[in-house]
Amino acid sequence: MIPLSLEVHQQTDPPPPLSIGRRFTDPAHMTARFVRPDGTEYELPWLETAGEQRLEECLPVRRFPVCKGRFPVCKGRRSAPGWYWSSTDRCLAHHGSKAIRTQLMMLDHDPVVTALACRPVELSWHGRGGRAVSHAPHLMARLADGSGLLVDYASRFGAGRRLVWRAAHLEKAAATAGWHYRLIGPPQPVVEANVRWLAGYRHQRYAQDRLPGVAQCFRTPTALAEGVRLLGDPVAVWPSVFHALWVGVLSVPLQRPLHERSVAVACAEDGR
């Protein structure tokens, strides 16, 4: 089970195949470092950690510093940490940059994601020549089937060679533990714009106990404006319809710009 937001809506930069002849560390020899909510730091074997620890509840294993871009095209720009309110967890999630906030938003919108965290774990292993290597994936998500997902973000300029090779190690480590790993790029612009608009209505207060009525109204494919007109006062109804689109009560193609004539259809009776 992989979130649709990663499989369909993201620009991916996949790791190289594991059969290209390079030696990969046995995941059983990898260690994982994490910090529990009380601030206590632990370091345990990766496979034990993946199977027994609730990493989505852990604190970021690395700080999110404010720093300037290192590339000429990023001159004058800054990467600053911040907070994103997750409707999945019903709490604030700490993130390190605007790009990661966008990825949090995309995962928050996906119904198969049940919990989110930024950099809650750092994996360590010995590379070529016994050199110590450590890497903390940008995001971790818990999925509805109980498995975990590790995510690294590559900018619109692509992933560097070092990140791509580390991604191959993490892909194998995740698969061995029954988890998933993805190295992804920015979401498709239209999809991002649509989800960002709907995210403005992600809080439960916008449901206003209207979701059953919204689902009933859109039981057959109906234009959004027409459904809203049938439901009552548009000023009161539109926020509930947008919330229904966010939580998955209604479905609408996100690959096209969202507007009042977009056709939506009910796919659930209530939100997650």
Side-chain angles (χ1 to χ4, degrees):
M1 177 184 294
I2 291 291
L4 181 67
S5 57
L6 297 190
E7 292 295 275
V8 177
H9 303 322
Q10 299 279 0
Q11 302 172 12
T12 59
D13 194 353
L18 297 178
S19 59
I20 58 177
R22 180 161 178 162
R23 179 178 176 272
F24 285 85
T25 301
D26 184 347
H29 298 155
M30 290 184 173
T31 60
R33 183 173 66 90
F34 56 94
V35 181
R36 287 183 174 163
D38 62 2
T40 307
E41 183 176 313
Y42 290 85
E43 188 168 342
L44 298 173
W46 158 244
L47 296 182
E48 176 183 339
T49 301
E52 300 179 6
Q53 301 297 324
R54 300 288 297 176
L55 293 176
E56 62 270 31
E57 299 175 359
C58 292
L59 301 175
V61 75
R62 293 183 183 177
R63 298 178 61 186
F64 300 120
V66 175
C67 58
K68 293 183 178 180
R70 294 177 297 172
F71 302 100
V73 71
C74 299
K75 186 176 181 180
R77 300 182 184 180
R78 298 178 68 88
S79 175
W83 297 89
Y84 171 83
W85 188 83
S86 167
S87 62
T88 300
D89 298 310
R90 304 292 179 89
C91 65
L92 291 170
H94 196 26
H95 62 78
S97 68
K98 179 180 177 182
I100 299 303
R101 183 186 66 190
T102 296
Q103 300 301 333
L104 277 171
M105 178 186 71
M106 297 297 295
L107 289 171
D108 192 27
H109 174 61
D110 202 296
V112 307
V113 175
T114 61
L116 290 165
C118 282
R119 284 191 169 168
V121 63
E122 179 182 68
L123 277 70
S124 300
W125 64 92
H126 291 289
R128 179 177 297 178
R131 179 174 58 89
V133 181
S134 62
H135 183 76
H138 290 113
L139 293 169
M140 179 264 166
R142 184 69 63 180
L143 306 183
D145 63 0
S147 66
L149 168 70
L150 298 175
V151 177
D152 270 315
Y153 174 76
S155 74
R156 65 181 183 275
F157 305 108
R161 180 176 178 83
R162 183 175 70 169
L163 177 56
V164 169
W165 278 111
R166 290 185 176 186
H169 284 273
L170 266 68
E171 181 186 42
K172 183 175 181 180
T176 303
W179 283 34
H180 310 274
Y181 173 82
R182 289 296 184 272
L183 174 58
I184 61 174
Q188 299 169 17
V190 172
V191 173
E192 179 183 348
N194 288 338
V195 174
R196 190 174 301 282
W197 173 265
L198 297 178
Y201 299 88
R202 65 188 182 275
H203 197 281
Q204 185 64 28
R205 64 174 174 267
Y206 291 108
Q208 303 180 71
D209 298 323
R210 296 179 184 270
L211 294 190
V214 170
Q216 179 67 17
C217 182
F218 286 89
R219 62 187 182 278
T220 58
T222 305
L224 290 174
E226 179 63 19
V228 168
R229 183 185 65 81
L230 295 173
L231 285 167
D233 179 9
V235 174
V237 172
W238 270 115
S240 298
V241 170
F242 289 141
H243 181 74
L245 287 167
W246 172 264
V247 298
V249 171
L250 300 183
S251 176
V252 68
L254 294 176
Q255 294 84 357
R256 296 192 292 272
L258 187 63
H259 55 83
E260 64 178 7
R261 300 308 303 172
S262 296
V263 175
V265 65
C267 52
E269 294 184 354
D270 51 22
R272 60 187 172 194

